[in-house]
Amino acid sequence: MSATSQSPSRPNIVIMVAGGILVALVAIVFARLAYGLILPPMRDDLGLSYRQAGTLGTVTALGYLLFVLLGGIAASRWGARNAVATGLLILTVGFAGLALASAYPVVVGLMALLGLGTAFCFAPMVSLLATWYPEKRGMVIGCMAGGVGAGIFVTGLLVPWLSDQFGEQGWRLAWGLFAALAAVAVALVLAAVRDPAPVAHDHPDRPAPADKWRIYRNPRVIIMAAIYGIIGMVYIIQAIFMVSYVVESGFDEATAGWLMAMSGLLSVAAGPLWGSLSDVWGRGNALTLAMAVVTVAMGLPLIDQSLAMFFAHFLLMGCAVNGVFTMVQAASTDQVAPRHIPIAFSYVTVFFAGGQFLGPAIAGWLIEATGGFRLAVAFTCLALLVGLYLAQKIRRFPAGLAVD
């Protein structure tokens, strides 16, 4: 998104937040998280190993990592709304292709396309909301995160149902449905989302090129970026492999889908609630608590692989993980002046994309090497402990902006 100036007449907050929810649904749930639900029948039908399955998740993350900064450049040149619509259009093509593809190399290319589309639409949409509504930043970003939870709930029910009804073709119908909904999202974003007025090149509020390096080198911004990278890595591992862990532990896909749906339903409210709490209590305090809950949740399946432990895992994840996302996203924009928000958020998103790139490959390798999921889950717990330590540092950040 380009440097912008807030118009005296802001767009209706309900319309803009609804646009953010829609973008999160398509770009995060359909393009990233639903893969974990689709994976078991897709892996069986295509004859994929767990390492190949992990590679597909890694390829998507790599596309996101390589193009997230390009997505920010596109937003600055075309406007954030147009960049978001372009990303959604790319996702539409990727979903449609996956509904038809059978050859593994083609599937790899299409999964990379999903990463490219996400890079063009997610970060610009978050920046738009943070720029338009700075005084309610936690709440509006939390509502966008709520769209992720709603999408997880729906897909957690939809994907197993499609597999039950249509057998081996169910996973293809899921990708096809995602393509149709993404196409609808393109039209709705163009109709409903609005950019702030652009700042002229000679305007004093327009950031100079040197400002980027002030942001990139700032210790507070780097801490936020590191936490975002850790939670991105853990979340994508959980989303891709936890359903398979449940199935491999002796439970059917429908049970795993219900657990995922429960988690998604809880996270619908979790994002706005944690975001609103952080607006009042402080980002560092709320983030530390939410990170602690997520760490406990990821550790539970290591204790026992019973239905009760998996239930508690998905319950706690639903209650807290969207809160972590919301607060990291909001806190990263808190550290800089409003005119720097697009630069700062794009920068920390590179770390997030990096974590999501590394996570599936590491987890897939650990699963293949050990013949089980326990070591991969233990790895996420260790990473979360590092993130929890860094979250403590946010509580001690001095008042005021890191980069003004």
Side-chain angles (χ1 to χ4, degrees):
M1 189 172 65
S2 62
T4 54
S5 174
Q6 287 193 28
S7 167
S9 177
R10 294 192 293 186
N12 184 282
I13 190 171
V14 174
I15 293 175
M16 287 293 292
V17 169
I21 290 172
L22 187 63
V23 170
L25 174 67
V26 174
I28 302 300
V29 179
F30 293 169
R32 304 304 307 278
L33 304 182
Y35 175 59
L37 280 167
I38 295 174
L39 176 57
M42 182 177 174
R43 188 174 68 86
D44 290 342
D45 191 31
L46 298 181
L48 305 178
S49 69
Y50 277 114
R51 184 170 296 181
Q52 287 177 313
T55 298
L56 290 178
T58 300
V59 164
T60 303
L62 179 60
Y64 190 25
L65 175 63
L66 292 178
F67 292 102
V68 66
L69 290 180
L70 181 60
I73 294 171
S76 68
R77 294 184 178 181
W78 309 339
R81 186 190 68 161
N82 291 335
V84 170
T86 299
L88 291 171
L89 183 60
I90 292 170
L91 291 175
T92 303
V93 173
F95 294 145
L98 286 168
L100 302 173
S102 294
Y104 182 68
V106 175
V107 174
V108 170
L110 291 168
M111 292 296 287
L113 205 60
L114 298 189
L116 170 62
T118 302
F120 270 72
C121 61
F122 184 70
M125 192 69 224
V126 173
S127 295
L128 268 177
L129 291 176
T131 302
W132 274 121
Y133 311 104
E135 76 285 359
K136 299 178 180 178
R137 191 169 293 164
M139 187 271 289
V140 296
I141 294 176
C143 288
M144 187 172 174
V148 175
I152 292 173
F153 173 69
V154 172
T155 55
L157 299 178
L158 176 65
V159 173
W161 180 83
L162 288 173
S163 294
D164 289 341
Q165 295 295 314
F166 301 98
E168 293 182 354
Q169 299 303 309
W171 67 272
R172 295 186 182 276
L173 291 173
W175 287 122
L177 183 59
F178 294 167
L181 293 174
V184 172
V186 174
L188 292 179
V189 165
L190 288 173
V193 173
R194 179 152 65 91
D195 291 320
V199 172
H201 286 276
D202 57 351
H203 195 282
D205 280 347
R206 187 177 183 88
D211 286 331
K212 295 180 181 179
W213 293 106
R214 290 174 57 209
I215 294 168
Y216 296 165
R217 292 193 297 261
N218 187 271
R220 284 157 62 178
V221 176
I222 291 172
I223 288 173
M224 297 308 312
I227 296 174
Y228 203 25
I230 289 169
I231 194 62
M233 179 179 64
V234 170
Y235 192 32
I236 200 64
I237 291 173
Q238 192 267 353
I240 290 177
F241 292 110
M242 192 56 71
V243 168
S244 295
Y245 194 8
V246 174
V247 173
E248 290 290 322
S249 297
F251 305 100
D252 57 33
E253 292 177 13
T255 299
W258 276 103
L259 291 173
M260 194 78 160
M262 175 195 68
S263 182
L265 184 61
L266 289 170
S267 66
V268 172
L273 288 176
W274 281 105
S276 298
L277 176 65
S278 72
D279 284 337
V280 177
W281 192 28
R283 309 282 188 229
N285 293 327
L287 177 60
T288 299
L289 178 59
M291 287 281 290
V293 174
V294 171
T295 304
V296 171
M298 289 303 299
L300 290 176
L302 293 178
I303 300 173
D304 184 34
Q305 292 77 53
S306 66
L307 183 58
M309 282 298 182
F310 283 121
F311 177 84
H313 163 82
F314 282 100
L315 176 71
L316 292 177
M317 288 294 287
C319 289
V321 74
N322 260 13
V324 176
F325 276 112
T326 296
M327 288 176 287
V328 172
Q329 291 164 358
S332 65
T333 63
D334 287 339
Q335 307 308 313
V336 300
R339 67 184 186 274
H340 299 312
I341 287 175
I343 298 172
F345 191 71
S346 293
Y347 177 61
V348 301
T349 301
V350 171
F351 285 72
F352 173 80
Q356 295 214 319
F357 167 67
L358 293 173
I362 294 172
W365 178 79
L366 290 172
I367 292 167
E368 288 284 323
T370 62
F373 293 83
R374 290 174 62 85
L375 190 57
V377 175
F379 168 73
T380 67
C381 293
L382 180 62
L384 283 167
L385 289 174
V386 176
L388 193 57
Y389 167 75
L390 293 175
Q392 291 289 320
K393 292 182 173 292
I394 298 175
R395 300 175 62 197
R396 298 189 291 273
F397 279 176
L401 299 171
V403 182
D404 56 19

